[in-house]
Amino acid sequence: MPRRIGLPSLYLAAAAATAVTTAIPLAMAPASGLASRPPVTEPTRPFIVTVRDRAGARDLVGEMRWRVRRFYTAALPGFATLLNASELAELSADPRVVAIEPDREIRPMPVTRSTARRTRRATRATGKGVTVYIVDSGATHGRTGAFRSGNPHMSGRAETLRKPDGLGDRLWSAFDATGRTGEDCDGHGTRVARAVAGRSHGAAPQASVAAVRVLGCGGSGSLSDALAGLDWVRRHARDPAVANISLDGADSPALRTAMARLARSGVFVVAASDTGRCRLSPTGETYSARAPRLAGAAARYLELHPAANPSVLASWLKCAATRDTIRQNPSRALRTGRP
């Protein structure tokens, strides 16, 4: 296995490709519509626009290219843009548009410790060969670094991050929506990575972890950046794959759409929940207060059953509307492949 330090060449190329595909086509000829109007002086606000299909999204981006901030092509057909009141009204009436919602602040959810006993290593599965994408605040790469968290779920005082619990070269920075290096200056993403795949206490101690940074150093980020992270994962996830999204944006229609599309593509999506229950969404993503542990359990299963789809995984984890508890001893399922 090639040594992964920082951003591997494969992911560097993928990130560059994503930047090209999501950048606004400055050379695009103006299309009819809002962009052809004279400039206006009304105040604008940021919004997320979800469109019916890619062709419609591409056309609308062409019409509004001067204010489009992000263009999504994989997580959902749509874009992030700035609109004034009259433009918002006109775009809302456009038949190509499915929904418009304000871009807003996104914060991480608490990392809840599991009360379940550790699965015995006799199950053989450790998550080896599975990649878990941590959509969060990035991750610290095997060095000591100080940070002061602005996250209310963290301590709020200056802390020190040391080498992430034996993750070593299994952890790398895959994508950074904030335009930085992927390093975790908040601490939340590193803690999630440790809970998923730390060698001492992680649920899947041999899984690979790809850090997808969408949060800043203050412990928060934007919905548009979170969607950019999911857009990247949807384009570049390597099967078998799990995505852990411990963010508070579950009430966002655009984010739910992006997670559902990711789940339908074959990536097992685990999102954080503020309740103790584990539930499976009708659109395929799974919600749990112990999302990192559930992501690790999914990685263990995928090691032995790499072709399993998310619904099979959810069934094995007993995570459905009528069965709300996570199986405490999954050894039989890991040996036989049956719940």
Side-chain angles (χ1 to χ4, degrees), residues 61-94:
V61 166
E63 295 172 16
M64 303 182 64
R65 67 193 187 282
W66 303 115
R67 295 202 194 114
V68 172
R69 299 162 59 237
R70 288 192 180 276
F71 178 32
Y72 311 114
T73 59
L76 75 162
F79 50 92
T81 188
L82 296 171
L83 300 172
N84 59 41
S86 58
E87 291 167 341
L88 175 61
E90 182 171 341
L91 196 55
S92 298
D94 194 302

Side-chain angles (χ1 to χ4, degrees), residues 241-284:
V242 178
N244 185 100
I245 307 165
S246 294
L247 307 175
D248 67 354
D251 58 342
S252 163
L255 194 61
R256 288 200 305 269
T257 296
M259 290 192 296
R261 288 170 66 92
L262 188 57
R264 287 199 298 269
S265 74
V267 176
F268 185 72
V269 177
V270 185
S273 169
D274 57 2
T275 70
R277 290 178 178 271
C278 178
R279 64 182 178 86
L280 177 65
S281 165
T283 53

Side-chain angles (χ1 to χ4, degrees), residues 125 127 130-132 204 239-244 262-263 265-270 278-281 284-287 293-320 323 325-327 330 333-334 337-339:
V130 180
T131 302
V132 182
D239 294 335
V242 178
N244 185 100
L262 188 57
S265 74
V267 176
F268 185 72
V269 177
V270 185
C278 178
R279 64 182 178 86
L280 177 65
S281 165
E285 64 273 21
T286 304
Y287 292 87
R293 304 295 298 186
L294 193 61
R300 294 200 310 270
Y301 186 91
L302 285 171
E303 178 188 348
L304 300 183
H305 309 281
N309 61 43
S311 63
V312 170
L313 263 172
S315 175
W316 171 70
L317 292 164
K318 287 199 169 186
C319 192
R323 296 178 299 178
T325 57
I326 303 174
R327 173 165 292 178
L334 285 166
R338 295 189 298 272

Side-chain angles (χ1 to χ4, degrees), residues 99-184:
I100 303 177
E101 63 180 287
D103 193 2
R104 62 177 178 83
E105 184 181 58
I106 294 290
R107 287 190 169 273
M109 297 285 281
V111 180
T112 304
R113 291 182 179 274
S114 176
T115 57
R117 291 180 297 176
R118 288 288 304 275
T119 303
R120 291 177 301 172
R121 295 298 172 88
T123 60
R124 295 183 294 124
T126 58
K128 187 175 182 179
V130 180
T131 302
V132 182
Y133 295 85
I134 307 294
V135 182
D136 211 286
S137 61
T140 297
H141 292 260
R143 63 173 178 79
T144 299
F147 72 95
R148 181 177 294 276
S149 175
N151 179 354
H153 302 306
M154 307 284 286
S155 68
R157 64 178 184 273
E159 299 184 36
T160 299
L161 289 176
R162 296 179 177 84
K163 189 171 182 179
D165 197 16
L167 287 164
D169 62 1
R170 291 181 296 115
L171 168 66
W172 72 93
S173 294
F175 177 75
D176 191 333
T178 71
R180 297 179 182 271
T181 62
E183 292 294 325
D184 184 5

Side-chain angles (χ1 to χ4, degrees), residues 184-200:
D184 184 5
C185 53
D186 175 67
H188 188 271
T190 299
R191 283 167 172 75
V192 172
R194 288 172 174 171
V196 171
R199 195 170 299 280
S200 299

